[in-house]
Amino acid sequence: MPVNTKNRILPSEITPPEVYFNRRLFMQAGLVAGAGLALPAAADAIPAAHRRLGELRPSPFSTDEAPNTFEEISTYNNFYEFGTGKSDPVRLSHRFNPRPWSVRVDGECDKGGDITLEDLLAPHPLEERIYRLRCVEAWSMVVPWVGFPLGDLLKRFEPNSRAKYVAFETVYRPEEMPGQRARIIDWPYVEGLRMDEAMHPLTILAVGIYGVELPNQNGAPLRLVVPWKYGFKSIKSIVRISFVEEEPPTSWSLSAPREYGFYANVNPEVDHPRWSQARERRIGAGFFAGRQPTLMFNGYAEDVASLYAGMDLQRQF
Ligand code: MTE
C-alpha cells in the first residue's frame, strides 16, 4: 500500500521522549535558574506511576505538528465506561486493573485463540507515531502514540477468504468501570473496520503514549488508533478481535445510526446532523487560536483516499 511520506519528518529528525522530556526540564531549569529558585521536581510531565516502554522506534508516519501535553492527553477523554464527562475517565478509572490481560482472536481465521498481552507484543518492535486524533465533537489533539501496526498482528492468525471485516470488543467489568453500571450504551462497546482498513499501515494498536504505558483513561492496556477516522472508531481496552464476513455492528451506529456511520471518516464536507464538521478546536491551543479548518481524512487523504474510491461518502459516512 503506498504511504505518503511527504510532509513527514524522517525518523532521524523525531525527538525521542527522553530528549523532549529533558528539553522541557532544560527549559524549566533555564527559567527557574534565571529566577534564582530551586529546580522543580524532575519529570513533572509524566507521573512516576506510569511504566516506561523500553526501546521505541520513531516512525516516519508521524506528523511534525507539536504534540499535546501528557496532561492534556490524559485528563480530557472520552471513555464512557467511566462516565460521559471529559474528566470522568481520569477521576474514575483508578480501580480498573489492566493486568494480566489477554485478547481472544476468533472468527474467520485458521489460527484463532486466546493470546496474552505479553505474547501479543513479543514480536513487535514498538514505534512512536505522532498522530492526530479528531473527535466527532470537533476537538482534536496530537498524540505521541506508542504502538505497532494492527495488520502485523492480524496476519499471525491467518484470516481466511471470508474475513471481510474485523470486529473489536471492549472489556466488560462493571465492578471496575462505573459507567458500565448505567445504560449509557449497550455494553460492551463494539467497533469494526473493513479488512483493508484494518490492514492499512496507518492503523495501529497502541499500548502507550509519550513512551509510557497507556493510562487507564486512554484505553489501557491496548486500544486501536485509526488516525483518519473520528475518534469513536479508536476502541479502547480491547479483549476480543473477530474476523467476520458481514459489516459488524458498532456501538455508535447502533445507538444513533443517523448521526454515526460505520465508516466515520473525518470529512469536513459531511456534517454531523447537529453540528458542522468543517472546523476543529485543538485542545490546549488557547482561546485566541480559534478553530482551524478540518482536513479531509484528518490530513491523511494521500494515504487512504484510495480505499474509498467509487464510494459515495455523503451516504456511506
Ligand atoms: N472506547 C471505549 N471502549 N469507550 C468509549 O467511550 N470513546 C471513543 C474512543 N474509544 C470510547 C472508546 C471516543 S468518542 C474517542 S474521541 C476516543 O476514544 C478518545 O480517546 P482518548 O480519550 O484517548 O483521547
Side-chain angles (χ1 to χ4, degrees), residues 73 76-81 133-137 139 141 145 170 187 189 217-219 223 231-237 252:
I73 296 166
Y76 190 88
N77 299 99
N78 272 339
F79 200 171
Y80 280 18
E81 284 80 345
L133 183 74
R134 164 62 159 83
C135 227
V136 76
E137 299 146 307
W139 52 265
M141 285 197 206
W145 300 107
T170 292
W187 308 110
Y189 195 99
Q217 61 271 27
N218 290 90
R223 54 101 45 94
F232 65 87
K233 298 296 284 185
S234 291
I235 181 172
K236 295 173 165 179
S237 306
W252 287 106

Side-chain angles (χ1 to χ4, degrees), residues 39-111:
L39 212 70
D44 70 318
I46 302 187
H50 299 284
R51 272 197 292 162
R52 295 200 64 83
L53 280 163
E55 280 295 297
L56 301 183
R57 244 184 4 197
S59 164
F61 296 113
S62 293
T63 169
D64 55 4
E65 288 163 82
N68 281 88
T69 63
F70 183 87
E71 160 124 15
E72 286 159 354
I73 296 166
S74 60
T75 59
Y76 190 88
N77 299 99
N78 272 339
F79 200 171
Y80 280 18
E81 284 80 345
F82 298 109
T84 55
K86 303 288 180 228
S87 60
D88 290 343
V90 65
R91 287 189 303 111
L92 302 173
S93 63
H94 50 276
R95 292 190 54 197
F96 178 61
N97 182 5
R99 292 198 187 247
W101 195 263
S102 70
V103 178
R104 171 155 301 175
V105 182
D106 59 9
E108 300 292 351
C109 63
D110 295 338
K111 295 236 167 94

Side-chain angles (χ1 to χ4, degrees), residues 29-243:
L31 280 174
V32 174
L37 299 168
L39 212 70
D44 70 318
I46 302 187
H50 299 284
R51 272 197 292 162
R52 295 200 64 83
L53 280 163
E55 280 295 297
L56 301 183
R57 244 184 4 197
S59 164
F61 296 113
S62 293
T63 169
D64 55 4
E65 288 163 82
N68 281 88
T69 63
F70 183 87
E71 160 124 15
E72 286 159 354
I73 296 166
S74 60
T75 59
Y76 190 88
N77 299 99
N78 272 339
F79 200 171
Y80 280 18
E81 284 80 345
F82 298 109
T84 55
K86 303 288 180 228
S87 60
D88 290 343
V90 65
R91 287 189 303 111
L92 302 173
S93 63
H94 50 276
R95 292 190 54 197
F96 178 61
N97 182 5
R99 292 198 187 247
W101 195 263
S102 70
V103 178
R104 171 155 301 175
V105 182
D106 59 9
E108 300 292 351
C109 63
D110 295 338
K111 295 236 167 94
D114 290 340
I115 181 166
T116 64
L117 185 67
E118 290 69 30
D119 287 345
L120 185 151
L121 286 174
H124 303 288
L126 290 177
E127 298 174 13
E128 184 178 59
R129 296 190 174 199
I130 307 176
Y131 280 167
R132 302 173 202 93
L133 183 74
R134 164 62 159 83
C135 227
V136 76
E137 299 146 307
W139 52 265
S140 64
M141 285 197 206
V142 175
V143 183
W145 300 107
V146 177
F148 61 90
L150 171 67
D152 287 359
L153 176 78
L154 296 184
K155 277 185 228 148
R156 288 167 61 191
F157 299 94
E158 301 186 11
N160 64 36
S161 61
R162 287 184 302 277
K164 301 287 193 307
Y165 295 87
V166 186
F168 304 88
E169 200 175 292
T170 292
V171 73
Y172 180 67
R173 287 192 198 165
E175 63 293 352
E176 293 177 33
M177 300 177 127
Q180 285 182 335
R181 292 179 222 143
R183 277 290 304 271
I184 304 166
I185 59 168
D186 276 333
W187 308 110
Y189 195 99
V190 289
E191 255 307 333
L193 294 173
R194 214 170 57 190
M195 197 67 185
D196 57 349
E197 299 176 321
M199 299 303 291
H200 193 283
L202 285 176
T203 302
I204 58 168
L205 278 176
V207 294
I209 54 169
Y210 265 112
V212 298
E213 286 176 354
L214 276 180
N216 285 352
Q217 61 271 27
N218 290 90
L222 184 74
R223 54 101 45 94
L224 193 65
V225 179
V226 195
W228 69 94
K229 293 179 179 282
Y230 291 116
F232 65 87
K233 298 296 284 185
S234 291
I235 181 172
K236 295 173 165 179
S237 306
I238 297 167
V239 285
R240 187 169 176 197
I241 300 177
S242 309
F243 297 101

Side-chain angles (χ1 to χ4, degrees), residues 21-22 24-25 28 39-48:
F21 297 143
N22 288 342
R24 203 186 169 98
L25 286 174
Q28 283 177 346
L39 212 70
D44 70 318
I46 302 187

